[in-house]
Amino acid sequence: MSKGYLAIVLHAHLPFIKHPEHEDFLEERWFFEAVTDTYVPLINVFDSLLADGIHFRLTLSLSPTLICMLKDEVLIDRYLTHLDKLIRLAELECERLKHDRPFRLLAEEYLRRFKTVKHTFLEKYNKDLLSAFRKFQNFGKIEIITSCATHGYIPFMDVCPASAKAQVAVGIDTYKSVFGKVPKGIWFPECAYQPGQEKILTQFGIKYFFVETHGLLAGTPAPKYGVYSSYSTPSGVNVFARDELSSKAVWSSEEGYPGNASYREYYRDIGFDLDHDYIEPFISSCGSRIHTGIKYYRVTGRNSEKQVYVREKAMETARFHAKDFLFAREKELTRAAAKMDTPPIIVSPYDAELFGHWWFEGPDWLDLLLREINDSSGAVKTITPSEYLGLKNESEEITPSASSWGYKGHNEMWLNGTNDWIYRHMHKASEFMRKAARKHKDPTPVERRVLNQMARELLLAESSDWAFIMKTGTFSDYAAGRVKEHLGRFLAFAEQLEKNVIDLKMLEAAEDVYNLFENMDYRVYAVDS
Amino acid sequence: MKKRRKRLNTVYSDSFKKNGERPFDRTYSNFNREFSLPEKYGRNEIVLMVADPLTIYAYWEIEEEVFNEIRKENTNKKIKGLKRILRVYEIRETFTGKIFENRIDVKFGSFLGSQYICLPVSGKKWTVDAGLVSETGRFFPAIRSNEVKTPLFGIAANAAGSISFSSGGA
């Protein structure tokens, strides 16, 4: 008999990065690596579960920028070039290592893996991975939800509510253009929440969102069932909270599964290890060593001396970890169920890119876990949040507390000495955008294009990723440059609009590169102050 | 937009054939990614943001004119040593309205700046006045910020009564 439910939520997101003006651009690889390591492997897992008739439910949030990148012709063409290079590198590795059995087996595994990715991407789904996700949703296996347009950090938009509304509205519009309906739920970027922000959702028909554990536990009034139930907010939208224990099992670098010594080590990559002349065609075009995606060692110790990765051993560990995860959730649900009059739910959200990219065996673990749940006694069942809401007659009302899933659980990751300078410009641009949208009620076709591009530039500047990257310190110049670029271009267009002198070449070039949100309608900003 | 890109690509493909240049060199030669942002916007304002339960961040732009006005209005009142401060108020909501209780004063110099302000308590509403304070402590407010609410620090008090197994483990 079922003790309760498990809602696994994967949040897939990347900032919109596209540099067609360069033949090769380092940061574009983030997308290529995520497709190879995460999105295609997850699709292969879901297809395999579907083929084997495994019962499973999973929630996947696809950020609107990621959706736009998965549809972008330039990025898709470049991805295929990248993948062909990876296959070529794996072939060279098979040849180089032909007399070194443990390494040769791994090189052959990479070659097989990359060819499978190419087959899935090109032949099975005809370069359209969104069609794969749509298929799984149509089969009722995964519930796809949305996020904010460019992953804007909503709590920082309380002084410019037009921006918050646009982030949500454009996100939903992008979702509808791909999946043909309104999403049932939303993932607020960085799980960041400020009381009242969910009011935006009511006008769009969104049923639920998520908060961090303490966002709910510090809510008012105190949640009777802790994180093991959903609650209604004063605006009527439902809220779920992240379960701390199941999060830690996967997220924590110290205590989590990915740190096990059997698993593949992310940081030892042949891009850094092999002779420069040999690896040069496969690393950065400027000659900098970077990750290629081929890694032969496992997580053994903190120094560079690592032991060779053994695939069978890693899979054995993944199997053990899948059983362990299920065992722990069953115990957790049993204890919660004893104190509840409705079945408890455990909500386990993770960044999708953790699976496969950072934690190489992550997709295998997920596959094994879902099979284990399917084959087990039925004490734990997977569920989506909307299905869970359907089981409940009513929910207690609660106002969650301000929170995020960032460092220390609040806003400081996105507001500190490295990145605070961006907000005065962002808030001002939002104010200009709102005024321009209200002023231009009947624009000429060119003015409309300028206003729509201004909206895209503002949205792009608002990505939470830039502030995050500035704080982490790696690629911070790039992140700062992107904020300046988008806000600078926004202001240039605002001035052109004001003076009625439009630089058409500049407009065309901006539209060509930043062609995301094809149905962009600047009037979304025309709200009262 | 797709149509336009196809058209542009066609043009650049032709250029590629004629000049022997790589298409991307031509296509995006006019595309500028280098922009600088204005130092100021010419608006007098002060904006608060919440960093964590005990820290708020304030940024401001206040022209000297604003303070000169105050000085001018008080020229004949023999008020000495006026200094610029941010006066931080805790806001309490009562049945009769809002009560603003001064909790912290922070000196500031530049007309354009920012400051992290450490708060004595969490879980409260805050606002800030930028203004001038005299030697005798008389305050002349010039501009008021938006209001923000900081979350509670910790959850123990509030979550009493909730079921939670976070500390016990499964």
Side-chain angles (χ1 to χ4, degrees), chain A residues 18 21 23 217-219 222-223 228 244 335 411 416 420 424-425 427-428 431 485 489 511-512 514-515, chain B residues 1 4-5 22 24 28 32-33 38 41 43 45 50-51 59 113 116 146 158-159 162-163 165-166 169:
Chain A
K18 180 181 170 189
E21 76 275 24
E23 191 174 17
L217 295 183
Y228 299 105
E244 192 183 348
R335 291 168 67 182
N411 300 335
N416 55 71
D420 52 26
R424 79 167 64 233
H425 301 290
H427 292 161
K428 201 51 71 187
E431 186 189 322
E485 177 196 343
R489 193 178 293 112
E511 287 175 331
D512 197 34
Y514 294 117
N515 57 347
Chain B
M1 203 177 291
R4 187 168 55 257
R5 185 163 68 225
R22 290 174 297 182
F24 59 88
Y28 300 100
N32 182 17
R33 286 187 186 266
Y41 291 91
R43 309 280 173 90
E45 65 172 1
V50 175
Y59 71 79
Y116 287 90
N146 56 316
N158 220 42
S162 294
I163 58 169
F165 311 123
S166 298

Side-chain angles (χ1 to χ4, degrees), chain A residues 80-336:
Chain A
L80 283 168
T81 306
H82 171 86
L83 192 53
D84 283 338
K85 274 174 92 172
L86 264 184
I87 290 170
R88 178 70 192 129
L89 176 59
E91 285 169 345
L92 284 174
E93 282 297 275
C94 290
E95 177 62 24
R96 184 179 72 85
L97 298 165
K98 63 185 174 190
H99 301 303
D100 193 343
R101 191 170 184 277
F103 287 92
R104 176 175 56 80
L105 290 176
L106 290 174
E108 286 170 356
E109 168 68 17
Y110 279 112
L111 181 57
R112 186 196 60 75
R113 178 175 285 263
F114 297 147
K115 284 184 172 174
T116 303
V117 168
K118 186 171 179 180
H119 172 80
T120 302
F121 187 82
L122 199 56
E123 287 161 47
K124 197 166 181 185
Y125 289 108
N126 193 26
K127 302 190 266 188
D128 181 10
L129 294 188
L130 293 170
S131 69
F133 293 123
R134 196 184 304 119
K135 179 181 81 175
F136 301 130
Q137 173 149 275
N138 291 343
F139 273 114
K141 297 298 180 189
I142 67 173
E143 181 164 295
I144 302 173
I145 60 172
T146 192
S147 188
C148 292
T150 58
H151 222 246
Y153 198 85
I154 302 297
F156 291 161
M157 296 177 184
D158 58 347
V159 288
C160 50
S163 270
K165 187 194 165 198
Q167 282 281 348
V168 172
V170 175
I172 291 168
D173 187 62
T174 306
Y175 182 99
K176 278 160 69 180
S177 72
V178 175
F179 300 108
K181 57 182 181 180
V182 173
K184 291 174 181 164
I186 190 167
W187 178 264
F188 279 127
E190 319 299 357
C191 213
Y193 175 78
Q194 177 80 14
Q197 78 184 37
E198 78 282 0
K199 280 183 202 154
I200 315 167
L201 306 178
T202 54
Q203 61 185 293
F204 298 105
I206 299 273
K207 302 275 183 271
Y208 65 86
F209 66 101
F210 305 90
V211 292
E212 176 55 277
T213 314
H214 62 275
L216 191 76
L217 295 183
T220 312
K224 190 175 171 191
Y225 301 125
V227 299
Y228 299 105
S229 188
S230 63
Y231 300 86
S232 174
T233 59
S235 54
V237 187
N238 296 285
V239 61
F240 291 84
R242 177 158 87 145
D243 170 60
E244 192 183 348
L245 292 171
S246 60
S247 294
K248 210 182 265 183
V250 176
W251 270 119
S252 169
S253 57
E254 298 292 325
E255 305 160 57
Y257 302 139
N260 188 282
S262 302
Y263 290 145
R264 194 192 73 169
E265 167 68 63
Y266 175 80
Y267 293 97
R268 275 294 295 274
D269 188 290
I270 63 169
F272 297 91
D273 284 353
L274 297 186
D275 179 72
H276 192 274
D277 288 344
Y278 171 81
I279 205 72
E280 193 175 13
F282 306 100
I283 55 175
S284 168
S285 56
C286 66
S288 301
R289 288 182 176 274
I290 53 172
H291 287 268
T292 62
I294 297 182
K295 303 157 201 284
Y296 295 132
Y297 295 92
R298 57 192 179 94
V299 182
T300 28
R302 289 182 178 273
N303 54 27
S304 59
E305 289 301 317
K306 306 277 180 187
Q307 292 177 28
V308 67
Y309 179 71
V310 181
R311 180 71 182 154
E312 293 73 22
K313 177 73 183 153
M315 289 302 289
E316 199 180 297
T317 306
R319 197 165 290 113
F320 171 76
H321 282 157
K323 284 179 191 288
D324 178 73
F325 187 89
L326 178 57
F327 176 75
R329 299 295 77 75
E330 189 175 332
K331 286 197 66 162
E332 205 179 339
L333 285 170
T334 304
R335 291 168 67 182

